[in-house]
Amino acid sequence: GGVPAGADPPLSPGRPGELSLTVLLPMLRRCLGLPAELHVVKAPARECSGLVLLSGCHRTTEQLQQFFTTARRRGQYPTTYHTVTVGVPAEAEGEIRTGLRWQQQGETTVVVPVPAPGRRSLARKEVKSTLTRYRVLGAAGGCALLQLQPKTAFPEQLPVHLTLLLCPALGDHEHSSRVGRVLGVPFLLPPEAAPTRTQVLDEELLGRLGLSPRQLHRLPLHLHLQRLELP
């Protein structure tokens, strides 16, 4: 599947038995003594951290969701993320533009970039044009703190865009294998040549994080919904 143009990725309810945001909403409503059921207006993807906007009014929810969609169409950037990357972008700021689509890989589907999507595939909504604005806020020890502002909404857009910068997010065990290195120089691998695996970090970075290679799979994705603009 995919997500319609302009729509936000659906909030994953989590796997059965997992603790998830939607499971916690009735408890949160009771704790706050709210009269109406709570539902999610805006939240980061399940693997990300950050702000969650909740509402007890369906009309308000619809208005806010329409605001986010309309703002992006007008060229505004109502959501801002922060991320820690492994690697520092060559340019201090810029834009990442690419088509994105779902591709079958074995038994799973993965999001892959389409650098020059054709008009027909865009019209059929097989591919979606995506754009993220980025700015380097700081860098040290081969890592960077980036501000990311997506102008489009597509599942896994930000992690995939970061691989195109050759700077995958710290804790990205899904897409970081697409960035290879030869003599310390990063290069992009095609998705089919880069199966999903636990992110590989050098010994120096592991030491600074206080992690052993065996603990690396527990390292969470360092992608954080930091700011939402509201009307």
Side-chain angles (χ1 to χ4, degrees):
V3 172
D8 281 309
L11 181 76
S12 170
R15 299 181 186 91
E18 260 189 353
L19 189 62
S20 70
L21 178 60
T22 47
V23 168
L24 291 173
L25 291 181
M27 191 188 310
L28 182 60
R29 175 193 168 193
R30 288 194 299 272
C31 289
L32 296 174
L34 300 175
E37 278 187 29
L38 285 172
H39 45 268
V40 177
V41 180
K42 189 83 172 167
R46 185 164 60 93
E47 65 274 11
C48 302
S49 62
L51 291 171
V52 176
L53 182 60
L54 304 174
S55 170
C57 170
H58 284 284
R59 180 172 169 76
T60 300
T61 298
E62 288 172 6
Q63 288 175 338
L64 285 170
Q65 288 176 338
Q66 184 60 47
F67 162 76
F68 287 120
T69 302
T70 305
R72 282 195 296 262
R73 284 180 184 154
R74 289 175 177 167
Q76 297 166 335
Y77 296 78
T79 57
T80 300
Y81 285 79
H82 280 180
T83 184
V84 176
T85 60
V86 181
V88 181
E91 303 290 334
E93 58 184 290
E95 292 181 343
I96 308 148
R97 294 175 181 266
T98 188
L100 290 180
R101 69 178 172 91
W102 291 94
Q103 178 176 290
Q104 192 73 28
Q105 249 185 38
E107 296 180 1
T108 61
T109 53
V110 295
V111 177
V112 298
V114 182
R119 287 183 185 176
R120 193 172 294 176
S121 61
L122 290 168
R124 289 176 181 166
K125 297 188 178 178
E126 297 165 351
V127 178
K128 180 177 177 181
S129 287
T130 60
L131 167 64
T132 301
R133 191 163 67 180
Y134 78 88
R135 185 159 63 93
V136 178
L137 301 177
C143 292
L145 175 66
L146 266 60
Q147 174 184 284
L148 302 174
Q149 292 180 305
K151 188 175 177 293
T152 49
F154 195 90
E156 301 171 35
Q157 173 176 322
L158 295 179
V160 173
H161 278 192
L162 289 170
T163 66
L164 297 177
L165 276 182
L166 302 178
C167 298
L170 183 64
D172 180 359
H173 308 300
E174 187 79 23
H175 308 284
S176 62
S177 56
R178 297 181 193 175
V179 180
R181 284 183 181 274
V182 172
L183 300 175
V185 179
F187 67 96
L188 197 64
L189 286 159
E192 54 273 14
T196 297
R197 58 169 164 76
T198 301
Q199 189 173 34
V200 176
L201 301 178
D202 62 39
E203 287 184 20
E204 183 187 346
L205 184 51
L206 278 174
R208 294 214 309 276
L209 291 168
L211 294 173
S212 71
R214 287 184 181 180
Q215 295 171 314
L216 248 181
H217 70 280
R218 295 184 191 167
L219 185 67
L221 181 66
H222 282 52
L223 187 54
H224 184 83
L225 178 53
Q226 187 255 344
R227 191 175 78 220
L228 291 172
E229 284 185 27
L230 302 179

